[in-house]
Each structure stands twice: as structure tokens, then as C-alpha cells.
Amino acid sequence: MEGDRMRNKKFAAFFNRKSYIVAVVIMVVAAFGMLGLYYAQQEREQEEQLAKQQEENVRRAKEEDAAREKAAKERAEAKMAADAKAKILEQKKAEEEETAEVSGIIEPQDDNFMDEPEVVAETSAPVVPEIHFNAETDLSWPLQGNVIMHYSTEHTIFSETLQQYQSNPAIVIKADVNTPVTAVASGTVTSIETDPVTGITMTVDMGDGYTAYYGQLKEIPKNQGEYVESGEVIGYVSEPTKYYSVEGSNLYFQLRKDGATVDPMQYLE
């Protein structure tokens, strides 16, 4: 009987020690598990931060590339405008020098010049025909192409480049770069300017209050004040400005009557 009691005590003591060992093992395993979860969480957070930093770097690089491209394009447009202006000034100076040479006074050939009137060389100024615009006679098209943006001042139309709705006081005709542009009617060149939206733009007075505007041009053979015949080449289609980068190369054509825009489609053939 006493022996059984001793065995039971030994068994209970062994069982208690074993329970403690199992509990310790469980606590150690749990501790390692929690530590592993902690490090895994830290690693995920580091990966997320690295991914965000990479996205930010890509975004900044794209912005810098876009800014450089914009600056380069603006410099090219400014250079083109400066070259065109310099060419016009050079041609104008040459014409003035030629006129000055032709209009010089002829010196007398003998000593009896007091008895004879002075002879002045006659200058032959270009004869400019009288400008008259007949609103009932259809205009000729400046070039062949599809109208991709119609005249619209009462309702707005969507601009693919600007991604917004806006009014359009002209028509935009799709055309390849270097396509010749002809005058829709006879008139006098009143200005050749560079506009940030329409690029190099020529203005032609066609008489009776009608004025034509040709935008997105290059290599203009005419100068301010010169006469152009209907159907005469007045320039060529240039690369589009940044305001028409999505629409692509085109001719911007606007028609005005007494300073107010009118729909060119009502006059073109």
C-alpha cells in the first residue's frame, strides 16, 4: 500500500515537470512566431516604401522629360519666328536700298545746266490692283483636306489636345507638313506674326471689310504690304503648335467681316 502511494507521488511529480516543460516549449515557439511576424511586417513596410519611392522617382522623371521637351519646342518655335522676322527685315532693307538707288538725281552733263530743268529718274512702283471682295462669289479652298474642327462660337467643341470644351472661331483643316497653302481670294498682306496657338500666321485684307487669317504656316514667300493673287501659294503647312499636338499638322483658317468672325464654310466652294 505504501509502495503504491510512493509511485503515485513520483508519477504526479513527473507529470507536473512534463507540463512545465511543455508550457515552456509552447511559450518559446510562440515567441519565435511573434518575432517572425514582426520581421515579416517590417519587411512588407520596407517593400511598400521602396515601391512608393520608385513611383515618385518615375513621376518626377516624366515631369522633367516633359518640361525639357516643352522648353526645346518653345525654343524651336521662337527660333523659327526670329528667322522669319529676320528674313522679312532683310528683304525689306534690300528693297529700300534698291529704291534709293533708282530714285537718285541724274547729274548735269555740261555747264549749261542752269538753262535746263533737272532730270530725275522715274521709279516704277508696283501696281496694286484695286481690292474688292464679292461675298456672293464662293472662295476657293486654301488646300485639300478634311475639316477636323468646325467653326463654332455659339456652342463649344471638344479639344483633344487640351482635353476641354471651348469655342472655335475658325476651321481647322487636316494636312501633312509641307503641303502648299494658297490664297482663297486676292488681297494685301497686312501682317505676318507668330502666335503661341496658331504659330506663324498671315493676315490678308481682301477688301470690303473681309479679312483672312492663315495659321500654322512656314516658309512664307510674301512680305507685309505685298499683293497676293487668288490661288497663289502663300506658304506651307508647318509642324503643329503644342495646342494642336494631338490633332496633328493642320491649317488654321479664320474669316472675319468688319472685325467679327464668320463661318468660312458659308463662303468656301
Side-chain angles (χ1 to χ4, degrees):
M1 188 70 173
E2 186 66 25
D4 292 337
R5 189 177 295 112
M6 291 296 295
R7 283 194 298 273
N8 290 336
K9 288 182 178 181
K10 290 181 180 180
F11 180 76
F14 173 77
F15 182 78
N16 289 335
R17 286 196 299 272
K18 188 174 181 181
S19 298
Y20 291 148
I21 293 171
V22 171
V24 170
V25 170
I26 292 174
M27 291 177 64
V28 171
V29 171
F32 276 107
M34 293 179 65
L35 185 62
L37 290 174
Y38 172 77
Y39 281 115
Q41 180 66 23
Q42 291 293 319
E43 185 176 356
R44 283 195 298 271
E45 291 179 355
Q46 291 178 356
E47 291 177 351
E48 291 176 357
Q49 291 179 355
L50 180 60
K52 290 180 179 180
Q53 184 64 37
Q54 290 177 344
E55 291 178 358
E56 180 66 17
N57 292 339
V58 171
R59 184 185 66 80
R60 290 180 179 177
K62 288 182 178 180
E63 290 180 351
E64 292 175 356
D65 291 342
R68 284 194 294 269
E69 182 179 353
K70 178 181 178 181
K73 191 170 184 178
E74 290 177 349
R75 287 195 298 270
E77 292 177 353
K79 184 178 183 302
M80 182 182 298
D83 291 343
K85 185 175 181 180
K87 183 179 179 181
I88 293 173
L89 292 175
E90 183 179 351
Q91 292 177 349
K92 186 176 180 181
K93 183 179 179 181
E95 290 175 357
E96 290 176 351
E97 292 177 352
E98 182 179 355
T99 302
E101 292 177 358
V102 173
S103 62
I105 298 176
I106 300 177
E107 297 295 335
Q109 301 297 321
D110 52 38
D111 295 336
N112 297 323
F113 65 92
M114 293 298 293
D115 299 330
E116 298 178 359
E118 293 181 345
V119 179
V120 180
E122 296 181 355
T123 59
S124 56
V127 178
V128 178
E130 181 181 355
I131 301 174
H132 178 68
F133 181 84
N134 186 355
E136 298 186 3
T137 302
D138 292 335
L139 299 179
S140 61
W141 280 79
L143 52 74
Q144 294 299 318
N146 295 325
V147 177
I148 57 176
M149 294 181 70
H150 286 271
Y151 176 88
S152 179
T153 55
E154 297 181 357
H155 304 285
T156 58
I157 59 177
F158 188 71
S159 168
E160 294 291 343
T161 299
L162 302 179
Q163 288 294 298
Q164 66 182 23
Y165 284 90
Q166 61 183 16
S167 62
N168 186 41
I171 61 173
V172 177
I173 308 174
K174 182 72 174 177
D176 294 332
V177 175
N178 297 323
T179 299
V181 179
T182 58
V184 297
S186 301
T188 302
V189 179
T190 57
S191 69
I192 300 174
E193 300 175 344
T194 299
D195 184 273
V197 177
T198 59
I200 298 179
T201 303
M202 172 189 283
T203 305
V204 178
D205 179 10
M206 300 183 296
D208 299 294
Y210 286 88
T211 308
Y213 295 78
Y214 305 83
Q216 309 278 9
L217 296 180
K218 68 175 182 177
E219 300 178 13
I220 296 176
K222 293 291 183 177
N223 297 318
Q224 183 175 343
E226 292 187 349
Y227 179 79
V228 295
E229 291 279 357
S230 177
E232 183 179 359
V233 174
I234 58 173
Y236 300 86
V237 176
S238 177
E239 294 288 346
T241 64
K242 61 183 178 180
Y243 293 90
Y244 292 92
S245 58
V246 175
E247 287 81 4
S249 56
N250 64 82
L251 172 68
Y252 178 92
F253 180 70
Q254 184 182 114
L255 188 63
R256 293 187 184 183
K257 164 61 175 171
D258 297 329
T261 61
V262 294
D263 187 358
M265 297 298 290
Q266 295 180 358
Y267 296 85
L268 293 171
E269 295 178 351

